[in-house]
Amino acid sequence: MLIVTEDMCKQVVGRTDAFEAVEAVFAAMARGDAYNFDVIREAIGYADALYGFKSGFDKAGLTLGVKSGGYWPGNLEKGLTNHQSTVFLFNPDTGQLDALVGGNYLTAVRTAAASAVSIAHLSRKNSKVLGMVGAGHQSAFQLRAAVEQRDFEKVVAWNFHPDMLPKLGEVAADCGLPFEAVDREQLGAEADAIITITSAHEALIMKDWIKPGTHIACMGTDTKGKQEVDPELIAAATLFTDEIAQSISIGETQHAIASGLIKQSDITSIGSVINGDHVGRSSDEEITLFDGTGVGLQDLAVASTAARLAKEKGLAQEVQL
Ligand code: NAD
């Protein structure tokens, strides 16, 4: 069995590796070759922690496993990240544990890879301005992956806590892009592609603020009750997601579904676009929206890449159970 630490994951898994792994597993999901099992997430009644696991099997990539972990709000004062996770990969032929992989860095790169895949497949080719809504831990990963997909010339950003924006501005500068903190209406008026990555529980971006032809990747809503955009915007957009069942229950479309503005059949799996079974964007005026809810198979895909690369590079530690 291999042990692949957080540091090893950072060394071996780059943005391109994550993009390719996530794109491939979304395609496998849409073909019916890969499926996620039911997600478990529970308040454990100790340390205010939320603990759970996401699991699945990819028959095409032969990846079987589980990401286990959750949210420990007291961790920051201990100098640790609040979100903690570990991936266990099993041999699909024997059930033996193949690898134990640190999941914290990988969660951020696989989430950024999902919105990047959506921008690559759905945004207008001539997109020039990237709009960022959110400036927390994930936002830097999101920005770096997004700007590799189109020839962006500028980043505009808004955050609920404005003091967090300069740090994101440094990331944009590191990518060689001018950065401007703007209000939300201006963000909608300027951006060709928008990423929302917040823990908001109400609509931050309204339909009337968005230009025709915009692509929006909603990445923050991964729990019942969370929300980032106007349900009217959901109703006006052509909708794509990683997994439809998760989108309507815990993702960004949950509110438009609950209020009857859209039906489940209005949402297309992004894997169908990757596989060429759905055209994706059909005009320069269409608003496309990707609801990235975050599925276990994404974690398993990047963890499997990490284990393979760490082994190839002689970094992974091999132990017998
Ligand atoms: P973080 O705690 O580092 O940052 C939180 C962000 O939300 C900040 O920008 C903060 O200013 C903003 N925010 C906080 N309260 C807000 C409010 N009331 N209204 C609007 N904005 C508010 O978190 P993070 O690690 O960057 O994660 C951001 C979100 O992404 C979280 O909701 C997290 O659960 C979600 N997430 C989703 C996936 C996925 O696969 N879809 C993966 C990882 C994280």
Side-chain angles (χ1 to χ4, degrees), residues 54 83 107 110-111 134-139 158-161 164 197-202 204 219-222 226 292-295 298:
K54 289 184 165 184
H83 292 272
T107 298
R110 68 77 147 143
T111 306
H137 178 68
Q138 305 292 331
S139 66
W158 176 86
N159 194 44
F160 185 72
H161 302 100
M164 294 166 84
I197 183 76
T198 72
S199 45
H201 283 69
E202 62 188 349
L204 302 173
M219 303 305 296
T221 299
D222 54 1
K226 280 190 184 172
T293 64
V295 293
Q298 276 170 266

Side-chain angles (χ1 to χ4, degrees), residues 13-27 29 36 54 67 105-123 130 132 138-150 193-197 215-222 240-243 246 268-271 273-274 288-302:
V13 179
R15 285 189 292 279
T16 306
D17 304 305
F19 184 102
E20 287 170 0
V22 167
E23 186 183 48
V25 84
F26 283 167
M29 282 163 60
N36 293 288
K54 289 184 165 184
K67 174 168 99 164
Y105 163 76
L106 291 181
T107 298
V109 286
R110 68 77 147 143
T111 306
S115 62
V117 165
S118 85
I119 290 171
H121 286 278
L122 296 170
S123 73
L130 174 67
M132 294 293 306
Q138 305 292 331
S139 66
F141 293 89
Q142 292 283 326
L143 193 159
R144 286 186 192 279
V147 299
E148 288 172 346
Q149 310 311 319
R150 293 287 183 258
I194 299 174
I195 296 174
T196 60
I197 183 76
H215 173 66
I216 174 160
C218 297
M219 303 305 296
T221 299
D222 54 1
F240 302 88
T241 188
D242 42 20
E243 190 182 80
Q246 208 161 269
T268 301
S269 140
I270 193 158
V273 181
I274 298 166
T288 52
L289 187 144
F290 172 68
D291 181 15
T293 64
V295 293
L297 280 169
Q298 276 170 266
D299 298 296
L300 304 187
V302 289

